Amino acid sequence: MKKISSGKVREIYEVDDDKLLLVVSDRISAFDYILPAVIPNKGKVLNQISAFWFDFVKDIIPNHVISTDIKDFPKEFQTPEFEGRSMLVKKLKMLPVECIVRGYITGSGWKSYKENGTVCGIQLPENLQESEKLPKPIFTPSTKAEIGDHDENISFEQVCEKLGEKLATKLRDKTLEVYTKCAEYAASRGVIIADTKFEFGLDEHGELVLGDEVLTPDSSRFWPANDYVVGKSQKSFDKQYMRDWIKSSGYNPETKAPIPEEVIKTTENKYIEAYELITGKKFEG
């Protein structure tokens, strides 16, 4: 089976002219580096959370999922190592834009806001505090960088230049609609989705389709609602814990030095807790 891509976390195999198999590894990346550690069960958590959300928003936009059942995969992939962490999907023409949506002011958005009162050129109200909920979610797209490069924030106008105003507008509107529905649901489960990113593609008919991953702990900031306090950085279910450990410990990802076992285990537990809270199911691996 031809492997056509090996990303920071995912392996992509070409099944035939119109189908791919996505396999989610246990690798973890931070600050654009693939770290020298694997997080047990991480790939399964990411794959199964994505499958949950794809189904949850299928009334808003079609998605690329054909099956997550290993019995439907090519025989080469019907083995235990692929079970739970793989997805058979339709091949799409992926759009060259990361569709980022922010419901809360945090991370690079907070840094930008402190400097000039804007995020990605969008003027925000005065006197917001760190981690505060925005009056309404904002669409802050970026380019897609190659591994080792950094994504670059772009304006909605630049998206229009890349894709045309009609497609760019649909992209923005669907991004905000999917985020809003999912954020409201997650809040009912005790999880705040502070921000996230989506990727979209076009199918063989030129229709917009949701692809890649959806609202996972790798593509989103998940905060526990019962610990949420405006005015500071938040506890997190996602890989922000690993980022924070790297910053506080002085660890240099370039050295590829071993990561302590307790940091790996805590990270694994945060991924599993996010899955169980959001889906309402016990993680079975």
Side-chain angles (χ1 to χ4, degrees):
M1 202 57 68
K2 181 184 173 188
K3 184 189 286 189
I4 60 172
S5 174
S6 184
K8 292 174 185 172
V9 175
R10 282 169 180 73
E11 311 287 346
I12 304 177
Y13 295 86
E14 186 174 63
V15 174
D16 55 32
D17 288 346
D18 58 0
K19 289 191 285 295
L20 302 171
L21 197 97
L22 308 186
V23 182
V24 192
S25 76
D26 291 335
R27 295 192 294 269
I28 187 166
S29 68
F31 304 111
D32 292 320
Y33 290 95
I34 298 172
L35 300 178
V38 294
I39 308 300
N41 291 307
K42 174 177 176 280
K44 292 183 178 182
V45 166
L46 296 185
N47 191 61
Q48 291 171 37
I49 285 183
S50 271
F52 172 84
W53 289 121
F54 276 127
D55 185 65
F56 188 72
V57 299
K58 65 186 179 186
D59 60 324
I60 296 175
I61 186 162
N63 62 68
H64 69 167
V65 180
I66 297 171
S67 179
T68 57
D69 188 337
I70 197 168
K71 294 194 294 293
D72 296 328
F73 297 172
K75 66 179 186 303
E76 296 95 323
F77 296 96
Q78 292 181 12
T79 60
E81 66 183 292
F82 295 105
E83 189 151 22
R85 64 172 69 247
S86 309
M87 192 176 281
L88 186 67
V89 302
K90 285 187 286 191
K91 194 181 286 189
L92 303 174
K93 180 185 176 185
M94 298 305 290
L95 299 175
V97 175
E98 301 236 314
C99 294
I100 298 166
V101 55
R102 303 170 192 261
Y104 292 73
I105 185 80
T106 187
S108 62
W110 172 241
K111 182 181 176 185
S112 172
Y113 176 78
K114 285 192 294 183
E115 290 171 358
N116 55 31
T118 70
V119 176
C120 299
I122 299 171
Q123 189 70 46
L124 295 177
E126 293 180 6
N127 301 318
L128 291 176
Q129 298 182 67
E130 184 177 7
S131 304
E132 188 169 348
K133 187 175 184 179
L134 297 172
K136 62 180 182 179
I138 57 174
F139 178 64
T140 58
S142 76
T143 59
K144 284 185 192 174
E146 296 296 322
I147 291 179
D149 294 334
H150 293 281
D151 296 339
E152 182 182 324
N153 293 331
I154 56 177
S155 67
F156 176 66
E157 288 70 30
Q158 286 172 291
V159 180
C160 291
E161 288 170 13
K162 279 178 176 286
L163 303 178
E165 187 175 352
K166 183 178 179 183
L167 181 55
T169 300
K170 188 170 185 180
L171 207 59
R172 178 192 64 193
D173 292 351
K174 290 298 180 184
T175 294
L176 292 169
E177 193 177 350
V178 169
Y179 170 79
T180 299
K181 179 178 182 180
C182 295
E184 288 173 356
Y185 168 81
S188 76
R189 306 286 310 171
V191 177
I192 292 170
I193 302 176
D195 54 35
T196 193
K197 74 174 178 68
F198 301 118
E199 294 195 30
F200 295 85
L202 302 177
D203 67 10
E204 69 275 21
H205 307 297
E207 293 298 316
L208 191 65
V209 175
L210 184 59
D212 195 54
E213 62 180 323
V214 178
L215 290 157
T216 70
D218 269 16
S219 66
S220 320
R221 279 190 177 88
F222 290 157
W223 297 338
N226 58 0
D227 287 328
Y228 174 63
V229 180
V230 175
K232 64 186 185 78
S233 62
Q234 306 297 310
K235 292 181 180 177
S236 180
F237 291 124
D238 50 62
K239 68 177 179 180
Q240 190 61 39
Y241 167 78
M242 181 67 82
R243 292 191 195 103
D244 291 343
W245 175 81
I246 288 170
K247 287 193 284 190
S248 65
S249 69
Y251 178 87
N252 181 358
E254 289 184 328
T255 66
K256 298 199 177 296
I259 291 173
E261 190 59 41
E262 65 267 23
V263 175
I264 292 170
K265 188 63 182 174
T266 300
T267 304
E268 179 191 4
N269 289 341
K270 285 180 177 292
Y271 276 83
I272 290 172
E273 188 178 4
Y275 170 87
E276 292 183 344
L277 272 172
I278 285 167
T279 66
K281 300 175 186 172
K282 181 157 182 58
F283 180 71
E284 303 291 349

